[in-house]
Amino acid sequence: MKKRDVLNLILIVSLIFSLFSVPALGAEEERNGLEQAILVAKNIITIPDDYTDFTSGSNERDTSNGKVKIWRLNWAQKNGGNGFISASVGEDGFFYEYNKYNGDKESVVGLAQVTKDKAQALAEEFLKRAIPNYSEQMKRVDNNIYSNGEYNFVYQRFFNEVPVD
């Protein structure tokens, strides 16, 4: 009878300790995933020193490879600046989205600071950094080039000359 009570006590204590360790492991995994996403983003884009207000979140997205956890990373300017940078990086290491606004409304008024050819070269250089495995398969598919003071280019992946989503 005593052995049974001792065994029950050991099982109860083990159960209590296992309840405390599970959230810690989950939090550690979550933190590691966020850190990895930040590293991927910073290898592709540059975050200026004055963009110090950082927030993040995550959600799941359906992809061709199944559900993937996506980290939404946001950096904003401090000290009255309106600039922000946002990026989305998946746990699969893919760079899904990127947006940058420098906060300067005056910079979008007037003539473009770069030519169309230079803007397209910069876009293709960015593609090589963001999706190095697929950048050679990407082709520009849009006709709308200059609008509201900025160049917009749309690229799509092609495999054997067939468009791929």
Side-chain angles (χ1 to χ4, degrees), residues 92-122:
D92 54 4
F94 283 166
F95 191 77
Y96 285 92
E97 298 172 26
Y98 169 63
N99 191 11
K100 179 180 178 183
Y101 174 65
N102 68 4
D104 183 9
K105 292 180 182 176
E106 300 300 318
S107 69
V108 295
V109 176
L111 298 174
Q113 300 296 315
V114 296
T115 65
K116 176 182 97 173
D117 292 337
K118 177 68 174 172
Q120 184 171 344
L122 290 170

PDB file of all heavy atoms in Angstrom, residues 92-122:
ATOM      1  N   ASP A  92       9.399  28.950 -43.281  1.00  0.00           N
ATOM      2  CA  ASP A  92      10.101  28.227 -44.338  1.00  0.00           C
ATOM      3  C   ASP A  92      11.260  29.039 -44.912  1.00  0.00           C
ATOM      4  O   ASP A  92      11.947  28.595 -45.825  1.00  0.00           O
ATOM      5  CB  ASP A  92       9.130  27.836 -45.452  1.00  0.00           C
ATOM      6  CG  ASP A  92       8.337  29.017 -45.999  1.00  0.00           C
ATOM      7  OD1 ASP A  92       8.586  30.170 -45.571  1.00  0.00           O
ATOM      8  OD2 ASP A  92       7.455  28.803 -46.851  1.00  0.00           O
ATOM      9  N   GLY A  93      11.484  30.268 -44.385  1.00  0.00           N
ATOM     10  CA  GLY A  93      12.587  31.103 -44.825  1.00  0.00           C
ATOM     11  C   GLY A  93      12.269  31.982 -46.021  1.00  0.00           C
ATOM     12  O   GLY A  93      13.112  32.759 -46.465  1.00  0.00           O
ATOM     13  N   PHE A  94      11.031  31.886 -46.559  1.00  0.00           N
ATOM     14  CA  PHE A  94      10.657  32.725 -47.704  1.00  0.00           C
ATOM     15  C   PHE A  94      10.319  34.129 -47.234  1.00  0.00           C
ATOM     16  O   PHE A  94       9.754  34.337 -46.171  1.00  0.00           O
ATOM     17  CB  PHE A  94       9.460  32.148 -48.449  1.00  0.00           C
ATOM     18  CG  PHE A  94       9.793  30.987 -49.337  1.00  0.00           C
ATOM     19  CD1 PHE A  94       8.772  30.201 -49.845  1.00  0.00           C
ATOM     20  CD2 PHE A  94      11.087  30.661 -49.686  1.00  0.00           C
ATOM     21  CE1 PHE A  94       9.051  29.124 -50.673  1.00  0.00           C
ATOM     22  CE2 PHE A  94      11.376  29.595 -50.502  1.00  0.00           C
ATOM     23  CZ  PHE A  94      10.344  28.827 -51.002  1.00  0.00           C
ATOM     24  N   PHE A  95      10.653  35.085 -48.064  1.00  0.00           N
ATOM     25  CA  PHE A  95      10.376  36.502 -47.835  1.00  0.00           C
ATOM     26  C   PHE A  95       9.093  36.799 -48.611  1.00  0.00           C
ATOM     27  O   PHE A  95       9.103  36.868 -49.832  1.00  0.00           O
ATOM     28  CB  PHE A  95      11.565  37.313 -48.374  1.00  0.00           C
ATOM     29  CG  PHE A  95      11.558  38.756 -47.986  1.00  0.00           C
ATOM     30  CD1 PHE A  95      11.941  39.137 -46.716  1.00  0.00           C
ATOM     31  CD2 PHE A  95      11.214  39.727 -48.892  1.00  0.00           C
ATOM     32  CE1 PHE A  95      11.967  40.464 -46.354  1.00  0.00           C
ATOM     33  CE2 PHE A  95      11.241  41.056 -48.544  1.00  0.00           C
ATOM     34  CZ  PHE A  95      11.613  41.430 -47.272  1.00  0.00           C
ATOM     35  N   TYR A  96       7.965  36.932 -47.931  1.00  0.00           N
ATOM     36  CA  TYR A  96       6.660  37.032 -48.587  1.00  0.00           C
ATOM     37  C   TYR A  96       6.255  38.447 -48.969  1.00  0.00           C
ATOM     38  O   TYR A  96       5.688  38.656 -50.031  1.00  0.00           O
ATOM     39  CB  TYR A  96       5.579  36.415 -47.694  1.00  0.00           C
ATOM     40  CG  TYR A  96       5.612  34.907 -47.688  1.00  0.00           C
ATOM     41  CD1 TYR A  96       6.344  34.221 -46.734  1.00  0.00           C
ATOM     42  CD2 TYR A  96       4.939  34.173 -48.639  1.00  0.00           C
ATOM     43  CE1 TYR A  96       6.392  32.842 -46.724  1.00  0.00           C
ATOM     44  CE2 TYR A  96       4.980  32.791 -48.640  1.00  0.00           C
ATOM     45  CZ  TYR A  96       5.713  32.137 -47.680  1.00  0.00           C
ATOM     46  OH  TYR A  96       5.764  30.771 -47.685  1.00  0.00           O
ATOM     47  N   GLU A  97       6.499  39.422 -48.100  1.00  0.00           N
ATOM     48  CA  GLU A  97       6.040  40.789 -48.371  1.00  0.00           C
ATOM     49  C   GLU A  97       7.054  41.801 -47.843  1.00  0.00           C
ATOM     50  O   GLU A  97       7.789  41.525 -46.903  1.00  0.00           O
ATOM     51  CB  GLU A  97       4.693  41.047 -47.678  1.00  0.00           C
ATOM     52  CG  GLU A  97       3.580  40.164 -48.165  1.00  0.00           C
ATOM     53  CD  GLU A  97       2.321  40.307 -47.327  1.00  0.00           C
ATOM     54  OE1 GLU A  97       2.108  41.376 -46.719  1.00  0.00           O
ATOM     55  OE2 GLU A  97       1.550  39.339 -47.266  1.00  0.00           O
ATOM     56  N   TYR A  98       7.034  42.976 -48.460  1.00  0.00           N
ATOM     57  CA  TYR A  98       7.921  44.059 -48.028  1.00  0.00           C
ATOM     58  C   TYR A  98       7.278  45.384 -48.411  1.00  0.00           C
ATOM     59  O   TYR A  98       6.745  45.537 -49.509  1.00  0.00           O
ATOM     60  CB  TYR A  98       9.287  43.914 -48.709  1.00  0.00           C
ATOM     61  CG  TYR A  98      10.203  45.099 -48.548  1.00  0.00           C
ATOM     62  CD1 TYR A  98      10.664  45.490 -47.300  1.00  0.00           C
ATOM     63  CD2 TYR A  98      10.623  45.819 -49.650  1.00  0.00           C
ATOM     64  CE1 TYR A  98      11.524  46.564 -47.158  1.00  0.00           C
ATOM     65  CE2 TYR A  98      11.483  46.890 -49.527  1.00  0.00           C
ATOM     66  CZ  TYR A  98      11.926  47.270 -48.277  1.00  0.00           C
ATOM     67  OH  TYR A  98      12.770  48.335 -48.141  1.00  0.00           O
ATOM     68  N   ASN A  99       7.308  46.327 -47.489  1.00  0.00           N
ATOM     69  CA  ASN A  99       6.778  47.656 -47.751  1.00  0.00           C
ATOM     70  C   ASN A  99       7.620  48.659 -46.976  1.00  0.00           C
ATOM     71  O   ASN A  99       7.987  48.417 -45.834  1.00  0.00           O
ATOM     72  CB  ASN A  99       5.312  47.744 -47.308  1.00  0.00           C
ATOM     73  CG  ASN A  99       4.639  49.005 -47.794  1.00  0.00           C
ATOM     74  OD1 ASN A  99       5.162  49.737 -48.620  1.00  0.00           O
ATOM     75  ND2 ASN A  99       3.467  49.272 -47.264  1.00  0.00           N
ATOM     76  N   LYS A 100       7.915  49.769 -47.615  1.00  0.00           N
ATOM     77  CA  LYS A 100       8.707  50.806 -46.952  1.00  0.00           C
ATOM     78  C   LYS A 100       8.141  52.168 -47.314  1.00  0.00           C
ATOM     79  O   LYS A 100       7.827  52.445 -48.471  1.00  0.00           O
ATOM     80  CB  LYS A 100      10.170  50.740 -47.401  1.00  0.00           C
ATOM     81  CG  LYS A 100      11.032  51.806 -46.761  1.00  0.00           C
ATOM     82  CD  LYS A 100      12.467  51.728 -47.206  1.00  0.00           C
ATOM     83  CE  LYS A 100      13.283  52.841 -46.572  1.00  0.00           C
ATOM     84  NZ  LYS A 100      14.665  52.829 -47.029  1.00  0.00           N
ATOM     85  N   TYR A 101       8.014  53.007 -46.303  1.00  0.00           N
ATOM     86  CA  TYR A 101       7.614  54.397 -46.480  1.00  0.00           C
ATOM     87  C   TYR A 101       8.571  55.239 -45.657  1.00  0.00           C
ATOM     88  O   TYR A 101       8.731  54.999 -44.451  1.00  0.00           O
ATOM     89  CB  TYR A 101       6.168  54.608 -46.024  1.00  0.00           C
ATOM     90  CG  TYR A 101       5.725  56.046 -46.042  1.00  0.00           C
ATOM     91  CD1 TYR A 101       5.622  56.747 -47.242  1.00  0.00           C
ATOM     92  CD2 TYR A 101       5.422  56.709 -44.864  1.00  0.00           C
ATOM     93  CE1 TYR A 101       5.221  58.070 -47.261  1.00  0.00           C
ATOM     94  CE2 TYR A 101       5.013  58.031 -44.876  1.00  0.00           C
ATOM     95  CZ  TYR A 101       4.917  58.703 -46.083  1.00  0.00           C
ATOM     96  OH  TYR A 101       4.524  60.018 -46.106  1.00  0.00           O
ATOM     97  N   ASN A 102       9.228  56.194 -46.292  1.00  0.00           N
ATOM     98  CA  ASN A 102      10.245  56.961 -45.566  1.00  0.00           C
ATOM     99  C   ASN A 102       9.668  58.131 -44.780  1.00  0.00           C
ATOM    100  O   ASN A 102      10.393  58.829 -44.085  1.00  0.00           O
ATOM    101  CB  ASN A 102      11.351  57.432 -46.504  1.00  0.00           C
ATOM    102  CG  ASN A 102      10.891  58.470 -47.499  1.00  0.00           C
ATOM    103  OD1 ASN A 102       9.747  58.921 -47.481  1.00  0.00           O
ATOM    104  ND2 ASN A 102      11.776  58.855 -48.396  1.00  0.00           N
ATOM    105  N   GLY A 103       8.367  58.372 -44.875  1.00  0.00           N
ATOM    106  CA  GLY A 103       7.742  59.430 -44.093  1.00  0.00           C
ATOM    107  C   GLY A 103       7.831  60.800 -44.701  1.00  0.00           C
ATOM    108  O   GLY A 103       7.299  61.758 -44.167  1.00  0.00           O
ATOM    109  N   ASP A 104       8.476  60.910 -45.839  1.00  0.00           N
ATOM    110  CA  ASP A 104       8.685  62.203 -46.492  1.00  0.00           C
ATOM    111  C   ASP A 104       7.681  62.362 -47.632  1.00  0.00           C
ATOM    112  O   ASP A 104       7.881  61.845 -48.717  1.00  0.00           O
ATOM    113  CB  ASP A 104      10.113  62.293 -47.014  1.00  0.00           C
ATOM    114  CG  ASP A 104      10.432  63.647 -47.634  1.00  0.00           C
ATOM    115  OD1 ASP A 104       9.603  64.580 -47.512  1.00  0.00           O
ATOM    116  OD2 ASP A 104      11.502  63.767 -48.237  1.00  0.00           O
ATOM    117  N   LYS A 105       6.592  63.089 -47.371  1.00  0.00           N
ATOM    118  CA  LYS A 105       5.561  63.290 -48.396  1.00  0.00           C
ATOM    119  C   LYS A 105       6.083  64.107 -49.567  1.00  0.00           C
ATOM    120  O   LYS A 105       5.609  63.981 -50.678  1.00  0.00           O
ATOM    121  CB  LYS A 105       4.342  63.978 -47.791  1.00  0.00           C
ATOM    122  CG  LYS A 105       3.611  63.105 -46.809  1.00  0.00           C
ATOM    123  CD  LYS A 105       2.424  63.823 -46.230  1.00  0.00           C
ATOM    124  CE  LYS A 105       1.741  62.935 -45.217  1.00  0.00           C
ATOM    125  NZ  LYS A 105       0.641  63.584 -44.545  1.00  0.00           N
ATOM    126  N   GLU A 106       7.064  64.949 -49.323  1.00  0.00           N
ATOM    127  CA  GLU A 106       7.605  65.800 -50.377  1.00  0.00           C
ATOM    128  C   GLU A 106       8.378  64.995 -51.422  1.00  0.00           C
ATOM    129  O   GLU A 106       8.518  65.407 -52.555  1.00  0.00           O
ATOM    130  CB  GLU A 106       8.519  66.871 -49.781  1.00  0.00           C
ATOM    131  CG  GLU A 106       7.824  67.784 -48.784  1.00  0.00           C
ATOM    132  CD  GLU A 106       6.655  68.537 -49.400  1.00  0.00           C
ATOM    133  OE1 GLU A 106       6.783  69.018 -50.541  1.00  0.00           O
ATOM    134  OE2 GLU A 106       5.600  68.630 -48.741  1.00  0.00           O
ATOM    135  N   SER A 107       8.879  63.820 -51.049  1.00  0.00           N
ATOM    136  CA  SER A 107       9.714  63.051 -51.976  1.00  0.00           C
ATOM    137  C   SER A 107       8.920  62.437 -53.118  1.00  0.00           C
ATOM    138  O   SER A 107       9.491  62.029 -54.108  1.00  0.00           O
ATOM    139  CB  SER A 107      10.467  61.948 -51.220  1.00  0.00           C
ATOM    140  OG  SER A 107       9.553  60.965 -50.767  1.00  0.00           O
ATOM    141  N   VAL A 108       7.584  62.371 -53.011  1.00  0.00           N
ATOM    142  CA  VAL A 108       6.791  61.774 -54.084  1.00  0.00           C
ATOM    143  C   VAL A 108       6.177  62.820 -55.001  1.00  0.00           C
ATOM    144  O   VAL A 108       5.387  62.498 -55.854  1.00  0.00           O
ATOM    145  CB  VAL A 108       5.679  60.853 -53.520  1.00  0.00           C
ATOM    146  CG1 VAL A 108       6.280  59.675 -52.821  1.00  0.00           C
ATOM    147  CG2 VAL A 108       4.736  61.608 -52.627  1.00  0.00           C
ATOM    148  N   VAL A 109       6.551  64.071 -54.829  1.00  0.00           N
ATOM    149  CA  VAL A 109       6.030  65.139 -55.668  1.00  0.00           C
ATOM    150  C   VAL A 109       7.081  65.492 -56.715  1.00  0.00           C
ATOM    151  O   VAL A 109       8.254  65.588 -56.420  1.00  0.00           O
ATOM    152  CB  VAL A 109       5.693  66.384 -54.815  1.00  0.00           C
ATOM    153  CG1 VAL A 109       5.237  67.530 -55.696  1.00  0.00           C
ATOM    154  CG2 VAL A 109       4.633  66.041 -53.788  1.00  0.00           C
ATOM    155  N   GLY A 110       6.646  65.672 -57.956  1.00  0.00           N
ATOM    156  CA  GLY A 110       7.563  66.082 -59.010  1.00  0.00           C
ATOM    157  C   GLY A 110       8.044  64.916 -59.840  1.00  0.00           C
ATOM    158  O   GLY A 110       7.450  63.850 -59.867  1.00  0.00           O
ATOM    159  N   LEU A 111       9.160  65.124 -60.538  1.00  0.00           N
ATOM    160  CA  LEU A 111       9.696  64.110 -61.422  1.00  0.00           C
ATOM    161  C   LEU A 111      10.401  63.007 -60.638  1.00  0.00           C
ATOM    162  O   LEU A 111      10.885  63.219 -59.535  1.00  0.00           O
ATOM    163  CB  LEU A 111      10.679  64.751 -62.406  1.00  0.00           C
ATOM    164  CG  LEU A 111      10.090  65.807 -63.338  1.00  0.00           C
ATOM    165  CD1 LEU A 111      11.197  66.449 -64.157  1.00  0.00           C
ATOM    166  CD2 LEU A 111       9.042  65.191 -64.237  1.00  0.00           C
ATOM    167  N   ALA A 112      10.459  61.855 -61.234  1.00  0.00           N
ATOM    168  CA  ALA A 112      11.125  60.724 -60.585  1.00  0.00           C
ATOM    169  C   ALA A 112      12.617  61.010 -60.439  1.00  0.00           C
ATOM    170  O   ALA A 112      13.223  61.664 -61.277  1.00  0.00           O
ATOM    171  CB  ALA A 112      10.909  59.460 -61.399  1.00  0.00           C
ATOM    172  N   GLN A 113      13.201  60.499 -59.366  1.00  0.00           N
ATOM    173  CA  GLN A 113      14.618  60.689 -59.120  1.00  0.00           C
ATOM    174  C   GLN A 113      15.466  59.684 -59.898  1.00  0.00           C
ATOM    175  O   GLN A 113      16.666  59.860 -60.010  1.00  0.00           O
ATOM    176  CB  GLN A 113      14.903  60.551 -57.621  1.00  0.00           C
ATOM    177  CG  GLN A 113      14.155  61.554 -56.769  1.00  0.00           C
ATOM    178  CD  GLN A 113      14.572  62.983 -57.060  1.00  0.00           C
ATOM    179  OE1 GLN A 113      15.744  63.278 -57.175  1.00  0.00           O
ATOM    180  NE2 GLN A 113      13.605  63.853 -57.214  1.00  0.00           N
ATOM    181  N   VAL A 114      14.851  58.620 -60.403  1.00  0.00           N
ATOM    182  CA  VAL A 114      15.563  57.612 -61.181  1.00  0.00           C
ATOM    183  C   VAL A 114      14.798  57.349 -62.472  1.00  0.00           C
ATOM    184  O   VAL A 114      13.599  57.587 -62.555  1.00  0.00           O
ATOM    185  CB  VAL A 114      15.732  56.283 -60.401  1.00  0.00           C
ATOM    186  CG1 VAL A 114      16.583  56.468 -59.171  1.00  0.00           C
ATOM    187  CG2 VAL A 114      14.399  55.696 -60.033  1.00  0.00           C
ATOM    188  N   THR A 115      15.511  56.847 -63.455  1.00  0.00           N
ATOM    189  CA  THR A 115      14.865  56.506 -64.721  1.00  0.00           C
ATOM    190  C   THR A 115      14.116  55.182 -64.590  1.00  0.00           C
ATOM    191  O   THR A 115      14.333  54.423 -63.642  1.00  0.00           O
ATOM    192  CB  THR A 115      15.912  56.370 -65.846  1.00  0.00           C
ATOM    193  OG1 THR A 115      16.754  55.251 -65.540  1.00  0.00           O
ATOM    194  CG2 THR A 115      16.734  57.642 -65.996  1.00  0.00           C
ATOM    195  N   LYS A 116      13.261  54.916 -65.564  1.00  0.00           N
ATOM    196  CA  LYS A 116      12.522  53.654 -65.573  1.00  0.00           C
ATOM    197  C   LYS A 116      13.483  52.470 -65.623  1.00  0.00           C
ATOM    198  O   LYS A 116      13.306  51.485 -64.903  1.00  0.00           O
ATOM    199  CB  LYS A 116      11.577  53.614 -66.777  1.00  0.00           C
ATOM    200  CG  LYS A 116      10.834  52.303 -66.918  1.00  0.00           C
ATOM    201  CD  LYS A 116       9.962  52.290 -68.152  1.00  0.00           C
ATOM    202  CE  LYS A 116      10.710  51.598 -69.251  1.00  0.00           C
ATOM    203  NZ  LYS A 116       9.978  51.360 -70.465  1.00  0.00           N
ATOM    204  N   ASP A 117      14.529  52.565 -66.455  1.00  0.00           N
ATOM    205  CA  ASP A 117      15.494  51.465 -66.575  1.00  0.00           C
ATOM    206  C   ASP A 117      16.236  51.230 -65.261  1.00  0.00           C
ATOM    207  O   ASP A 117      16.453  50.086 -64.852  1.00  0.00           O
ATOM    208  CB  ASP A 117      16.497  51.743 -67.696  1.00  0.00           C
ATOM    209  CG  ASP A 117      15.843  51.713 -69.076  1.00  0.00           C
ATOM    210  OD1 ASP A 117      14.779  51.073 -69.215  1.00  0.00           O
ATOM    211  OD2 ASP A 117      16.405  52.323 -70.002  1.00  0.00           O
ATOM    212  N   LYS A 118      16.613  52.301 -64.574  1.00  0.00           N
ATOM    213  CA  LYS A 118      17.305  52.179 -63.291  1.00  0.00           C
ATOM    214  C   LYS A 118      16.368  51.577 -62.239  1.00  0.00           C
ATOM    215  O   LYS A 118      16.772  50.709 -61.459  1.00  0.00           O
ATOM    216  CB  LYS A 118      17.820  53.554 -62.839  1.00  0.00           C
ATOM    217  CG  LYS A 118      18.497  53.549 -61.498  1.00  0.00           C
ATOM    218  CD  LYS A 118      19.802  52.805 -61.505  1.00  0.00           C
ATOM    219  CE  LYS A 118      20.496  52.962 -60.165  1.00  0.00           C
ATOM    220  NZ  LYS A 118      21.663  52.126 -60.028  1.00  0.00           N
ATOM    221  N   ALA A 119      15.109  52.011 -62.243  1.00  0.00           N
ATOM    222  CA  ALA A 119      14.137  51.472 -61.290  1.00  0.00           C
ATOM    223  C   ALA A 119      13.922  49.982 -61.527  1.00  0.00           C
ATOM    224  O   ALA A 119      13.856  49.197 -60.579  1.00  0.00           O
ATOM    225  CB  ALA A 119      12.813  52.228 -61.402  1.00  0.00           C
ATOM    226  N   GLN A 120      13.829  49.579 -62.792  1.00  0.00           N
ATOM    227  CA  GLN A 120      13.644  48.160 -63.088  1.00  0.00           C
ATOM    228  C   GLN A 120      14.877  47.353 -62.691  1.00  0.00           C
ATOM    229  O   GLN A 120      14.766  46.252 -62.145  1.00  0.00           O
ATOM    230  CB  GLN A 120      13.330  47.941 -64.564  1.00  0.00           C
ATOM    231  CG  GLN A 120      13.032  46.490 -64.879  1.00  0.00           C
ATOM    232  CD  GLN A 120      12.510  46.277 -66.282  1.00  0.00           C
ATOM    233  OE1 GLN A 120      12.094  47.205 -66.956  1.00  0.00           O
ATOM    234  NE2 GLN A 120      12.523  45.035 -66.714  1.00  0.00           N
ATOM    235  N   ALA A 121      16.060  47.890 -62.915  1.00  0.00           N
ATOM    236  CA  ALA A 121      17.294  47.194 -62.513  1.00  0.00           C
ATOM    237  C   ALA A 121      17.337  47.023 -60.995  1.00  0.00           C
ATOM    238  O   ALA A 121      17.728  45.962 -60.496  1.00  0.00           O
ATOM    239  CB  ALA A 121      18.515  47.968 -63.010  1.00  0.00           C
ATOM    240  N   LEU A 122      16.924  48.052 -60.253  1.00  0.00           N
ATOM    241  CA  LEU A 122      16.876  47.950 -58.793  1.00  0.00           C
ATOM    242  C   LEU A 122      15.850  46.913 -58.340  1.00  0.00           C
ATOM    243  O   LEU A 122      16.089  46.158 -57.397  1.00  0.00           O
ATOM    244  CB  LEU A 122      16.556  49.314 -58.177  1.00  0.00           C
ATOM    245  CG  LEU A 122      17.656  50.366 -58.275  1.00  0.00           C
ATOM    246  CD1 LEU A 122      17.134  51.740 -57.864  1.00  0.00           C
ATOM    247  CD2 LEU A 122      18.852  49.975 -57.432  1.00  0.00           C
TER     248      LEU A 122
END
